Amino acid sequence: MQIIKMKDWGLGIDTSKPVIISGPCSAESEEQVMQSCLGVAEKGAQILRAGIWKPRTRPNSFEGVGSEGLPWIKRASKETGLPTTVEVANGRHVYEALRNHIDILWIGARTTVNPFAVQEIADALKGVDIPVMVKNPVNPDLPLWIGALERFSKVGINKLAAIHRGFSVTNSKPYRNLPMWHIPIELGRLVPGLEIINDPSHICGNRHMLAGVSQKALDLTFNGLMIESHINPDVALSDAKQQVTPDGLGELLGRLVTREPVSENPMFTANLEALRSDIDKLDREILELLGKRMEVAREIGQYKKDNGVTILQMSRWNDVLSSRIEQATSFELSEEFCKAYLQEIHDESIRQQTDVMNRSEAV
Ligand code: PEP
Ligand code: MN
């Protein structure tokens, strides 16, 4: 995939620092858009956002003001000198956004999930030179996210970026949408050169967790943050709990620490290398032990098979889980991590025992 980076989008975006995209979840009135956007521009936002058409879970809730709101955000753009971005979900939205000279389009999570909708938008953009930012699909499906980016690439849109807004899964607590950081990290590995913006607002679903998630995103080398901001969040017509005032945005940004992805300091490099070689050695030992553990699991599989016994004994699995989790806490490992790790090992052990069970005995 050929990708043109944000600094070369011709919109004056400065990527030497995290790119802040901000503005209301939804455009509600001209005054609300103007006040929110002028406010966030003062606090360092580089791109203005506003939802014009809102994909809502249930009907009869506020579904956006529609095209009427596009001139409002353009007016905010004119007064601040900042580029604008809106979400488009179909060909008509694209037509309206282009007609109103919106600078950047974004694809929402509920659209990325649908290849027909993404293709319709991509087809509407054939021959148009406009940047597109693609949010992750609602479900944790990385190929679907990459597929959406590819659909734009195939129609000649090279000014591309991704937005990580978390995944809608059961048990996302304490988040609204579970970040599953390994997915955007893997996206960055598979699509080199792709810039990824983090959207802490839709990950958190509340204001008080925004700072922690934003800092984590910067420490994971995300290229910027999309943060919803409303002049009066408590009366917002959508996502009231997660929006911050422009002053709140300023405070949040002021607290963030930006660190460098690399250091030229030779002392630092030497010490880091020494610590990393410890990690390399430990990883090797862990893998060796896991290999040995699976060897025993296969032996157990054979023994169960010879005696006509099932692979799973629930009481044993319960004991393994509870005793290991108890041990793990004394090694400063979290219960969550230990449980997830044991489940992975157990899955592999079951898979290996199943192989043994299914193997036809040599005669
Ligand atoms: C939004 O940015 O307001 C929005 C609707 O987000 P998402 O597509 O991530 O749900
Ligand atoms: Mn929103």
Side-chain angles (χ1 to χ4, degrees), residues 25-26 49 54 176 202 228 238-239 242-243:
C25 175
S26 301
R49 66 151 278 158
K54 298 303 295 180
R176 175 179 174 191
H202 293 89
E228 289 183 338
S238 59
D239 290 350
Q242 70 198 32
Q243 301 201 63

Side-chain angles (χ1 to χ4, degrees), residues 266-278:
M267 184 74 152
F268 166 81
T269 313
N271 286 337
L272 185 65
E273 260 170 32
L275 289 167
R276 282 182 170 165
S277 86
D278 286 352

Side-chain angles (χ1 to χ4, degrees), residues 86-108:
V86 302
E87 173 180 351
V88 290
N90 59 38
R92 186 178 63 82
H93 296 168
V94 169
Y95 173 78
E96 291 292 330
L98 295 180
R99 202 163 64 88
N100 284 275
H101 309 287
I102 295 299
D103 303 287
I104 303 164
L105 304 179
W106 97 74
I107 309 304

Side-chain angles (χ1 to χ4, degrees), residues 157-333:
I157 302 275
N158 298 321
K159 295 174 178 169
L160 285 170
I163 302 174
H164 167 233
R165 51 77 83 191
F167 301 90
S168 171
V169 292
T170 47
N171 256 336
S172 66
K173 296 261 168 316
Y175 303 99
R176 175 179 174 191
N177 290 294
L178 199 64
M180 305 179 86
W181 297 99
H182 62 281
I183 295 180
I185 290 173
E186 182 66 357
L187 174 68
R189 197 179 69 83
L190 293 176
V191 188
L194 179 70
E195 288 159 308
I196 310 178
I197 303 286
N198 178 257
D199 170 350
S201 303
H202 293 89
I203 288 176
C204 298
N206 63 57
R207 287 180 231 336
H208 63 270
M209 282 164 59
L210 289 177
V213 169
S214 301
Q215 184 63 58
K216 184 160 179 175
L218 296 190
D219 286 329
L220 293 175
T221 68
F222 278 76
N223 302 90
L225 300 167
M226 182 189 249
I227 301 178
E228 289 183 338
S229 180
H230 189 292
I231 194 67
N232 192 356
D234 290 334
V235 299
L237 298 180
S238 59
D239 290 350
K241 285 202 202 104
Q242 70 198 32
Q243 301 201 63
V244 286
T245 59
D247 282 346
L249 178 76
E251 263 168 51
L252 192 163
L253 296 179
R255 291 207 333 250
L256 295 179
V257 183
T258 35
R259 301 178 173 97
E260 295 304 319
V262 282
S263 165
E264 302 292 321
N265 179 345
M267 184 74 152
F268 166 81
T269 313
N271 286 337
L272 185 65
E273 260 170 32
L275 289 167
R276 282 182 170 165
S277 86
D278 286 352
I279 292 274
D280 293 348
K281 196 163 152 275
L282 287 166
D283 276 347
R284 201 184 145 83
E285 284 170 21
I286 292 170
L287 286 174
E288 216 174 293
L289 283 172
L290 280 174
K292 280 191 190 148
R293 195 189 190 284
M294 291 305 160
E295 226 176 279
V296 179
R298 288 194 295 274
E299 210 174 302
I300 289 178
Q302 185 63 47
Y303 197 53
K304 287 175 181 167
K305 181 181 183 184
D306 293 345
N307 288 277
V309 173
T310 55
I311 293 176
L312 181 68
Q313 281 78 44
M314 195 54 87
S315 59
R316 165 68 181 162
W317 174 228
N318 265 327
D319 288 347
V320 168
L321 267 179
S322 55
S323 63
R324 306 315 189 250
I325 287 174
E326 203 180 306
Q327 289 163 18
T329 47
S330 63
F331 297 121
E332 292 185 54
L333 298 171

Side-chain angles (χ1 to χ4, degrees), residues 54-64 237-238:
K54 298 303 295 180
R56 304 307 298 278
T57 305
R58 312 264 313 255
N60 303 325
S61 41
F62 174 67
E63 293 190 309
L237 298 180
S238 59

Side-chain angles (χ1 to χ4, degrees), residues 5-124:
K5 296 205 175 203
M6 285 189 273
K7 71 175 168 49
D8 298 320
W9 285 1
L11 297 169
I13 301 170
D14 174 7
T15 53
S16 67
K17 53 189 177 190
V19 175
I20 306 302
I21 305 171
S22 193
C25 175
S26 301
E28 297 168 8
S29 70
E30 181 160 19
E31 199 188 351
Q32 171 255 4
V33 169
M34 290 303 291
Q35 289 181 351
S36 307
C37 288
L38 265 53
V40 300
E42 216 173 275
K43 303 297 176 188
Q46 287 205 57
I47 301 173
L48 301 176
R49 66 151 278 158
I52 298 293
W53 303 278
K54 298 303 295 180
R56 304 307 298 278
T57 305
R58 312 264 313 255
N60 303 325
S61 41
F62 174 67
E63 293 190 309
V65 291
S67 308
E68 185 194 353
L70 291 167
W72 306 341
I73 185 170
K74 275 317 279 183
R75 204 185 128 207
S77 167
K78 210 167 272 168
E79 294 206 10
T80 56
L82 295 179
T84 53
T85 184
V86 302
E87 173 180 351
V88 290
N90 59 38
R92 186 178 63 82
H93 296 168
V94 169
Y95 173 78
E96 291 292 330
L98 295 180
R99 202 163 64 88
N100 284 275
H101 309 287
I102 295 299
D103 303 287
I104 303 164
L105 304 179
W106 97 74
I107 309 304
R110 290 169 189 78
T111 305
T112 307
V113 85
N114 179 351
F116 288 130
V118 173
Q119 193 59 53
E120 178 187 325
I121 298 167
D123 289 340

